[in-house]
Amino acid sequence: MQTYLVGGAVRDRLLGLPAGDRDFVVVGQTQDAMLACGFKPVGRDFPVFLHPRTGEEYALARTERKSGRGYRGFVVDADPSVTLEEDLGRRDFTINAIAEDDSGRLVDPFGGVRDIDARVLRHVGPAFAEDPLRVLRAARFMARFASRGFSVAPDTMALMRAMVDSGELAELVPERVWQELQRALMSQTPSAFVRTLRDCGALAVVLPEVDALYGVPQRADYHPEIDTGVHVELVCDMAASLAPGDALIGFAALTHDLGKALTPARVLPKHIGHESAGVAPLRALCDRLKVPAAHRQLAEIGCREHLNVHRLFELRDGTVHDLIARSDGFRQPGRIAQLALVCEADKRGRAGLAGCDYPQGPELLRLHAAALSVRGGDLADSGLAGPALGAALRDARIDAIARARAVARA
């Protein structure tokens, strides 16, 4: 059995990155032969097996032929005559089309090692254009590798633009778009995902609510970067720095300012009421991409409340309590820490302000802790019930917030 380590495991080793999952390709074998060797079949659309001892994935070498629109319109051929080079040739990028044999020898028919050294993301061949999902994969790889100096090859970017113009991205199912977006938000530089999609025209197709932010001006005294789209890029990268690998924080950061695209031109560069205005496009985006409830809920809280958190020191004690309650901070206490991170990313995601302090974050957590210290059971002997008990609990929590502030001022 001829087996080769392929894909990300080879690429990441050459980049000096920690090893992740290892995938193998098997040349010259049949499905029956794999089963006879004890491999467990798991592939639904093409022959993939799990090793009986290690559990690692082994796929038969295969080719793919376009048979329809979209990323599912392919006919797969896994005949034993398919060569390793033919299998590598169906892959997306040259950096993912490198194989390694048992002795450590690299098989690199498309110059992937050269492109790793040059920090270039380049498509393997013209078949790249047959799968519209690869446009999003290119953007997602840029989110992961832009910080290492990678850029998209000009000919690859031109091909991606042609794919967008063809209209095939409309064939992508929402779950796959969300999957790529989520993985990008968990990467080191999510802004590169957004920027790559915008450069090829795909952002207006898959995330039109975000694309609409570009070219929308903001007040330079608050936003030295001025352009709202640039601001969102900075906020996404700041969120990735504050909460590495956390797509919940990342998605809320990406969508917190969607309302600014709806500001009437006559009032620009001010954005009065953009927080509430942003809820409708956020919900539309979430409905379209079938965004999970946890991401949707935090994003809506961040969209609606971020200016209130920025003004925390000006808010009355009762207003602070109601902010926490609206954010579901009494039933789900973790929400407030998440909200504080989103707001800090917003404040520091501005040109020249990345290193600024954000005292509102720790203060919100401190006041939240004070309010949480008062529980309904503390009023059990009051004889109150129903709405009266709820009002008394609110008053007691507001008192706790006031006492916490008084201690800080003393």
Side-chain angles (χ1 to χ4, degrees):
M1 182 181 295
Q2 290 180 285
T3 63
Y4 298 85
L5 183 67
V6 292
V10 180
R11 176 199 68 221
D12 290 351
R13 183 180 66 77
L14 294 173
L15 282 168
L17 296 173
D21 294 337
R22 303 200 316 159
D23 296 323
F24 295 83
V25 66
V26 180
V27 178
Q29 292 296 331
T30 65
Q31 296 188 53
D32 289 342
M34 298 294 288
L35 295 174
C37 291
F39 285 81
K40 179 181 178 181
V42 293
R44 183 177 60 182
D45 300 321
F46 42 81
V48 179
F49 304 82
L50 297 183
H51 192 283
R53 181 169 47 81
T54 67
E56 294 174 321
E57 285 194 0
Y58 285 68
L60 295 182
R62 65 184 189 272
T63 59
E64 296 171 348
R65 177 173 51 84
K66 186 73 168 175
S67 61
R69 287 180 64 84
Y71 71 96
R72 289 179 171 171
F74 290 90
V75 174
V76 173
D77 179 13
D79 188 85
S81 64
V82 175
T83 66
L84 174 63
E85 288 73 14
E86 288 174 327
D87 180 271
L88 295 175
R90 67 171 176 79
R91 297 173 186 267
D92 48 11
F93 304 105
T94 60
I95 65 173
N96 296 330
I98 309 169
E100 181 180 312
D101 66 16
D102 292 339
S103 65
R105 182 181 67 90
L106 296 179
V107 180
D108 180 25
F110 303 101
V113 174
R114 176 198 62 217
D115 285 340
I116 285 176
D117 291 340
R119 298 299 193 258
V120 172
L121 189 68
R122 187 190 313 277
H123 64 287
V124 168
F128 179 91
E130 296 176 350
D131 184 355
L133 186 64
R134 287 176 168 177
V135 173
L136 272 68
R137 282 176 57 83
R140 194 245 300 166
F141 276 118
M142 285 302 298
R144 185 178 178 193
F145 294 132
S147 62
R148 294 179 171 270
F150 271 80
S151 61
V152 180
D155 54 341
T156 300
M157 181 59 71
L159 184 56
M160 289 163 58
R161 291 193 187 103
M163 293 168 69
V164 173
D165 292 342
S166 75
E168 278 231 358
L169 266 66
E171 304 292 328
L172 293 174
V173 298
E175 292 85 355
R176 295 307 297 268
V177 176
W178 169 250
Q179 184 181 54
E180 295 298 323
L181 172 58
Q182 183 179 29
R183 294 178 72 178
L185 293 171
M186 296 169 66
S187 300
Q188 187 173 356
T189 317
S191 64
F193 177 85
V194 177
R195 193 162 51 250
T196 301
L197 290 183
R198 188 162 191 271
D199 287 347
C200 70
L203 191 64
V205 179
V206 297
L207 291 171
E209 299 85 355
V210 177
D211 186 69
L213 297 173
Y214 285 88
V216 176
Q218 304 164 105
R219 287 178 55 180
D221 49 341
Y222 291 113
H223 288 277
E225 69 284 352
I226 299 177
D227 189 291
T228 306
V230 175
H231 168 56
V232 168
E233 291 183 11
L234 294 171
V235 175
C236 286
D237 287 353
M238 181 56 66
S241 175
L242 295 172
D246 192 330
L248 279 167
I249 304 299
F251 183 66
L254 174 70
T255 57
H256 80 285
D257 261 353
L258 295 183
K260 288 183 176 178
L262 304 177
T263 300
R266 68 180 182 276
V267 300
L268 293 173
K270 294 182 179 179
H271 292 277
I272 299 170
H274 75 275
E275 320 93 273
S276 57
V279 173
L282 171 60
R283 289 175 176 173
L285 187 159
C286 290
D287 288 344
R288 186 178 68 255
L289 297 187
K290 301 181 180 179
V291 174
H295 297 73
R296 177 190 299 244
Q297 290 161 6
L298 179 63
E300 188 165 326
I301 292 168
C303 178
R304 190 183 63 237
E305 304 293 351
H306 64 278
L307 286 193
N308 289 326
V309 178
H310 293 338
R311 294 191 293 255
L312 182 67
F313 294 105
E314 305 166 22
L315 301 183
R316 296 179 178 180
D317 301 331
T319 306
V320 173
H321 171 277
D322 294 346
L323 187 162
I324 293 170
R326 284 195 307 273
S327 304
D328 209 12
F330 295 115
R331 292 193 310 163
Q332 300 190 57
R335 278 276 172 79
I336 302 304
Q338 293 172 328
L339 175 61
L341 283 172
V342 173
C343 294
E344 182 176 355
D346 175 33
K347 184 65 175 181
R348 296 174 60 188
R350 310 181 190 201
L353 299 181
C356 73
D357 291 329
Y358 190 69
Q360 294 92 330
E363 179 69 359
L364 179 61
L365 297 182
R366 196 176 68 84
L367 299 181
H368 179 225
L372 275 180
S373 69
V374 181
R375 303 181 180 277
D378 300 337
L379 305 177
D381 298 333
S382 65
L384 299 173
L389 177 60
L393 180 58
R394 178 178 183 273
D395 289 342
R397 284 172 166 166
I398 292 172
D399 286 343
I401 290 171
R403 289 194 301 273
R405 282 178 148 176
V407 169
R409 288 192 293 265

